[in-house]
Amino acid sequence: MVADQFSHVRHWVFDLDNTLYDPAARLFDQIEVKMNDYVMRELGVDAEEADRLRSAYWRDHGTTLAGMMHHHGVEPWPYLREVHDISLDHLDPDPALADAIGALPGRRIVYTNGDGEYAARVLERRGLSKVFDAVYGVEHANWRPKPERAAFDLVFAAENLNPKTAAMFEDDVRNLAVPHSLGMKTVHVAPEALPEPPDHVQHHTADLSGFLDKLK
């Protein structure tokens, strides 16, 4: 039974975007527009080049911000506050998910490549603020993003997390490789399972609250 595989877990780590809400909310459609606008203005490039750079930096550096910092010396806070200045009207409270997360034994944390201010807004909108013990953003990892090993090390050290008794829930399979290598249980949260999931993806669910209910 799946519950047996998680019976030892005492640290539950959840990504934020497209993990703690349905991707159908399409928040990243708004964020990507803001990112492209920022890149166009900051670098003086056209829309097509901005979109190419945004995608390439996400692919090569983990986040667009990391690429902008590395290649262009962009300051993180002005960027983050601008690109996260979006409407959350498409998000609704999810009492079932709040109950499922709240029932998990041990500490429950959010770890996002976004920032803590943005995460707090999303959690409040979803009715999840009270079920988490801590929220870690990219600022807590010295601006290093998942999937970098150093980013996980910084956050997990701050949380005093033992990977051998922890689980990670993520929509981006890249960000499950390091947790798996450290001994964490890994769960890919996405509408569809990968046809051939990599070895570091141990479980998949399209229904996070339903999956967590099985662990009781």
Side-chain angles (χ1 to χ4, degrees):
M1 293 179 63
V2 67
D4 294 337
Q5 299 179 47
F6 289 81
S7 61
H8 66 294
V9 174
R10 291 300 177 269
H11 252 110
W12 308 85
V13 185
F14 294 85
D15 177 45
L16 180 75
D17 287 307
N18 294 334
T19 298
L20 292 178
Y21 62 80
D22 194 312
R26 305 191 72 84
L27 295 192
F28 259 82
D29 286 3
Q30 298 182 65
I31 292 172
E32 286 178 1
V33 169
K34 297 269 191 176
M35 287 179 176
N36 283 355
D37 288 346
Y38 194 98
V39 173
M40 288 172 62
R41 186 180 71 248
E42 189 72 19
L43 304 185
V45 298
D46 62 19
E48 182 178 357
E49 177 64 2
D51 192 56
R52 186 192 71 80
L53 288 172
R54 176 191 57 77
S55 180
Y57 289 163
W58 176 83
R59 181 189 66 235
D60 297 339
H61 295 274
T63 62
T64 302
L65 171 61
M68 291 289 284
M69 292 177 68
H70 177 78
H71 292 287
H72 309 288
V74 164
E75 289 293 324
W77 276 121
Y79 170 92
L80 287 166
R81 285 172 176 148
E82 181 169 328
V83 303
H84 288 146
D85 183 19
I86 61 170
S87 170
L88 301 182
D89 290 347
H90 296 300
L91 296 182
D92 295 311
D94 191 337
L97 182 57
D99 289 345
I101 294 173
L104 297 171
R107 281 182 63 81
R108 304 171 296 274
I109 70 172
V110 172
Y111 174 27
T112 173
N113 270 344
D115 62 83
E117 294 177 3
Y118 166 69
R121 290 177 56 218
V122 172
L123 294 174
E124 180 69 24
R125 185 75 183 183
R126 291 285 282 155
L128 300 175
S129 299
K130 296 181 180 179
V131 300
F132 287 105
D133 299 293
V135 176
Y136 295 92
V138 66
E139 69 269 34
H140 300 105
N142 197 25
W143 307 109
R144 307 186 73 147
K146 299 178 282 185
E148 286 189 33
R149 168 67 185 266
F152 287 99
D153 287 344
L154 285 165
V155 168
F156 291 170
E159 178 59 22
N160 194 27
L161 179 150
N162 177 2
K164 302 296 184 183
T165 57
M168 184 89 190
F169 297 79
E170 262 275 359
D171 70 298
D172 188 342
V173 295
R174 299 183 302 173
N175 298 339
L176 292 173
V178 168
H180 180 264
S181 73
L182 296 173
M184 297 175 71
K185 289 294 182 183
T186 59
V187 183
H188 180 213
V189 183
E192 301 291 338
L194 295 175
E196 297 182 11
D199 291 342
H200 62 262
V201 175
Q202 296 173 312
H203 301 272
H204 166 266
T205 183
D207 175 11
L208 182 56
S209 58
F211 184 90
L212 296 176
D213 282 340
K214 297 177 183 177
L215 306 184
K216 293 179 181 178

